[in-house]
Amino acid sequence: MQTITALELAHVIMALYPTKGITPMKLQKLAYYAKVWLLVTQRPPAIHAEFEKWAYGPVNRDIYHQYKVYGCLLYT
């Protein structure tokens, strides 16, 4: 089974929801939920991404640094 990186997962999420208002924080949470869901349903894990516990929820540093420049909304 092929694994994808955190940034590849973020790109997939953005491609699936191009017209929704997605903030960088929402993107982090969607990526985290996707990873957790796949951990529960698949062996071995299909997403290679580490998340940290931050004040407002789980954060992957790669996604954070890639999308933090967009501020409030990635797409409106």
Side-chain angles (χ1 to χ4, degrees):
M1 177 181 293
Q2 180 182 356
T3 62
I4 64 171
T5 66
L7 287 177
E8 291 170 331
L9 175 60
H11 294 306
V12 168
I13 292 169
M14 296 303 293
L16 289 173
Y17 302 101
T19 60
K20 303 292 182 192
I22 296 180
T23 64
M25 185 183 299
K26 185 183 283 188
L27 178 61
Q28 290 282 356
K29 291 180 182 185
L30 290 171
Y32 179 75
Y33 294 147
K35 177 176 176 153
V36 170
W37 184 253
L38 287 176
L39 281 173
V40 170
T41 61
Q42 294 182 353
R43 304 255 193 272
I47 300 171
H48 179 69
E50 297 296 323
F51 286 86
E52 301 174 9
K53 179 183 172 186
W54 284 20
Y56 295 104
V59 172
N60 174 274
R61 285 187 181 267
D62 293 333
I63 296 173
Y64 175 78
H65 290 298
Q66 178 75 29
Y67 289 97
K68 70 181 177 182
V69 298
Y70 294 103
C72 294
L73 287 179
L74 299 174
Y75 292 109
T76 55

